[in-house]
Amino acid sequence: MRVRMLDLAHARSGDKGDTANVGVIALRPEWYELLVQRLTVDVVSKHFAGIIAGPVVRFELPNLGALNFLLHGALDGGGTQSLKTDAQGKVFSTAMLRLVLEVPDADAVRLGLPQV
Amino acid sequence: MTARPVVRVASGQGFWGDWLEAPRRQVEGGPVDYLMLDYLAEVTMSILQKQKERDPAMGYARDFVGAIESVLDSIVERGVRVVANAGGVNPTACADAILALANARGVRGRLRLGVVTGDDLLPHLDALLAGGHSLANMDTGAPLADVRDRVLSANAYIGSTPIVEALGREADIVITGRSTDTALTMAPLRHEFGWSASDWDRLAAGIVAGHIIECGAQCSGGNCLIDWQNVPDLANVGYPIVEGHADGSFEIVKHPGTGGWITVPSVKEQLVYEMGDPHAYITPDVIADFTTIRLEQTGDDRVRVFGVRGRPPTDSLKVSIAYRAGFKAVGTLVYAWPDAIAKAQLADRVLRERLDNLGLRFETILTEFLGVSATHGPLAGDGRDAPEVQLRVGVRSEDRRMVERFTREIAPLVLNGPPSVTGFAGGRPKVEEIVAYWPALIDKRVVKTSVEILS
């Protein structure tokens, strides 16, 4: 079953130099494990392929039901050097939520996931 | 220290340029003990350094004087103390401006100012480099010597200790330079509760409190994504207040009758903002572990934060260095339906061909199509039916003349490029000098802060 991240999580993003961080927070506590399993570095790297120049790093915050992603090389140099409209990575958050996850039907039903 | 069971630290500014109404609303809207005003971002110091070069009496956040003016009578009357990093690269001049204001308002004898200095490394930069401190760029590893002749400012991020000292010496208003944003909140809690410099868990809790309120309303309904349509009364958004306890636990609240909301999800959104490795949120005072934070909704617009663990800090301080890094300009034009995106794309090709024919060379040319792909790139689809598209072309070069010439190539497209074009009311693009950010580390022992009390 295909499930939109927009229906599973909320998010906020910011910058550190040329790196954008995206914190992804499960809308329900029971969906956090699904994000841990499905929203992998590999999936996120493919999603942002061609948009960021560097690697993706992921950290887990089970206490907040959140994952923190660092997207390196995301901001055309960042800060004042960047020519981008989103030089500070403020809306990488919703770009992340465009992601659509493939979830086994049984899991989707068990977790009550809203499907596309 | 004090018997106060609860210490209230109110956030009144999240950055230089934040809502001018907020400080007064925080002081007058209900009981608070401290007003915390954060003015400094990565690039702010360099802007202030440029201002100081033009006028030695400048170099601090001028907004701060207006903020104090708006709350002066109230803070004197209510005994609210202020902690702010408004000093920028000239905390002494900032203090002078506040003293002049206090004088004019006849409250000078009733105010003590604490001024924290010592973060400014610019006067010592060559001695530091000669002494073997490379101040290498934390991101690229390049030595500072590469850009030394273009450095505008260099400031160490300093922690809570000098602010605590100033509060201990009964300063009513503490003005710092490049203090960390989080220290501005942690220091009053540390002062009031007498936390020792090695009370890692409580210091870390104070840092987390600081992180949550350092961006003002961004934890209380501002820029809140979850359920954003239902955030109440954003026009009167309440800025956050930390209600700290001696054990390090605290609650995030706001004044009654204000808009916005304080919920577990709104606080979570702020916690992950600008987060790096959550296990190691490094500050000069302590390393906080954000994976230990526990949140609980304990009332309407009231979130309890507890369980925070910390550990000893590193031997280094982060240094924020700003240097001149060439020039940039951005030009925009708007293309309308039908085929708005195709017209904008053609205009971009025409522009680039002309720049090329003129022999202009840039370090970077970046084209974005606002309304189609500027912020989300190809993730957003092809935008074929967009009612309008803004073409936005930016260039960057070490050579100012290249960028100047570029700015003359946008307007002609209105008459000699693709059709259905508008949106040129703003005039020719401006050339901006780029002041870039160079993060580095330095041995803590070489940074000497000092505190001066003025009254």
Side-chain angles (χ1 to χ4, degrees), chain A residues 10-13 15 21 27 47 59 63-64 68 70 76 80-85 90-91 94-95 98, chain B residues 43 218 223 268-270 272-278 290-291 293 328 368 375-376 379 392 394 396 435:
Chain A
H10 60 123
R12 180 170 291 178
S13 55
D15 68 317
N21 101 288
L27 285 172
H47 182 65
F59 297 99
N63 56 318
L64 303 181
N68 185 39
L70 300 184
D76 183 38
T80 52
Q81 280 175 289
S82 177
L83 297 173
K84 289 170 72 77
T85 296
K90 297 277 189 184
V91 294
T94 53
R98 286 178 175 275
Chain B
V43 297
Q218 209 178 217
N223 193 25
K268 281 183 182 178
E269 284 195 20
Q270 177 55 21
V272 299
Y273 179 63
E274 290 183 346
M275 179 184 275
D277 177 353
F290 274 40
T291 68
I293 299 169
K328 67 177 181 180
E368 292 180 331
T375 57
H376 288 182
L379 296 171
R392 183 180 184 278
R396 187 164 64 210
V435 176

Side-chain angles (χ1 to χ4, degrees), chain B residues 160-372:
Chain B
S160 65
T161 299
I163 304 173
V164 171
E165 182 190 332
L167 293 172
R169 291 166 63 186
E170 298 181 346
D172 300 298
I173 299 178
V174 182
I175 296 168
T176 76
R178 185 59 276 194
S179 279
T180 62
D181 308 346
T182 49
L184 304 175
T185 297
M186 190 264 264
L189 298 172
R190 185 180 154 192
H191 164 71
E192 291 282 345
F193 297 125
W195 297 337
S196 84
S198 59
D199 195 345
W200 309 122
D201 292 345
R202 289 185 176 92
L203 297 182
I207 293 298
V208 171
H211 181 86
I212 292 172
I213 69 168
E214 78 186 17
C215 294
Q218 209 178 217
C219 75
S220 58
N223 193 25
C224 185
L225 182 59
I226 189 168
D227 204 15
W228 63 269
Q229 302 94 325
N230 293 316
V231 179
D233 195 16
L234 267 180
N236 290 299
V237 65
Y239 276 48
I241 300 163
V242 168
E243 289 187 354
H245 304 278
D247 67 357
S249 69
F250 59 92
E251 289 174 302
I252 304 290
V253 301
K254 63 185 184 69
H255 285 316
T258 58
W261 58 23
I262 290 172
T263 63
V264 166
S266 80
V267 172
K268 281 183 182 178
E269 284 195 20
Q270 177 55 21
L271 278 172
V272 299
Y273 179 63
E274 290 183 346
M275 179 184 275
D277 177 353
H279 301 282
Y281 186 99
I282 301 172
T283 77
D285 296 293
V286 63
I287 297 175
D289 184 347
F290 274 40
T291 68
T292 61
I293 299 169
R294 309 293 300 277
L295 304 175
E296 184 187 2
Q297 190 87 44
T298 48
D300 289 345
D301 296 314
R302 177 173 287 271
V303 169
R304 177 168 176 254
V305 185
F306 59 103
V308 181
R309 304 298 302 270
R311 57 185 190 275
T314 68
D315 295 329
S316 307
L317 292 182
K318 191 172 173 182
V319 183
S320 146
I321 299 168
Y323 67 103
R324 298 180 199 276
F327 301 88
K328 67 177 181 180
V330 174
T332 61
L333 290 170
V334 172
Y335 290 87
W337 186 93
D339 306 315
I341 182 66
K343 291 166 185 163
Q345 285 165 335
L346 174 59
D348 179 50
R349 288 196 300 274
V350 169
L351 174 64
R352 284 172 178 256
E353 191 175 332
R354 288 178 185 166
L355 297 175
D356 207 41
N357 291 341
L358 287 165
L360 304 182
R361 297 286 174 270
F362 300 99
E363 187 190 316
T364 311
I365 304 182
L366 180 79
T367 301
E368 292 180 331
F369 300 99
L370 274 81
V372 176

Side-chain angles (χ1 to χ4, degrees), chain A:
Chain A
M1 187 184 284
R2 290 161 60 79
V3 184
R4 301 191 307 171
M5 278 301 303
L6 188 63
D7 296 324
L8 297 182
H10 60 123
R12 180 170 291 178
S13 55
D15 68 317
K16 273 282 183 275
D18 196 22
T19 299
N21 101 288
V22 185
V24 179
I25 307 157
L27 285 172
R28 292 194 200 164
E30 63 268 28
W31 294 348
Y32 171 66
E33 269 310 311
L34 180 82
L35 298 185
V36 172
Q37 288 163 18
R38 301 281 161 183
L39 193 64
T40 61
V41 166
D42 193 42
V43 165
V44 172
S45 300
K46 287 197 174 91
H47 182 65
F48 285 105
I51 297 173
I52 65 172
V56 173
V57 178
R58 187 182 89 162
F59 297 99
E60 297 176 15
L61 292 112
N63 56 318
L64 303 181
L67 297 172
N68 185 39
F69 290 89
L70 300 184
L71 312 180
H72 292 291
L75 302 174
D76 183 38
T80 52
Q81 280 175 289
S82 177
L83 297 173
K84 289 170 72 77
T85 296
D86 190 21
Q88 293 175 302
K90 297 277 189 184
V91 294
F92 273 78
S93 50
T94 53
M96 178 74 86
L97 299 183
R98 286 178 175 275
L99 217 151
V100 176
L101 294 179
E102 276 296 340
V103 180
D105 288 359
D107 287 354
V109 171
R110 177 173 56 84
L111 293 168
L113 302 185
Q115 51 177 302
V116 176

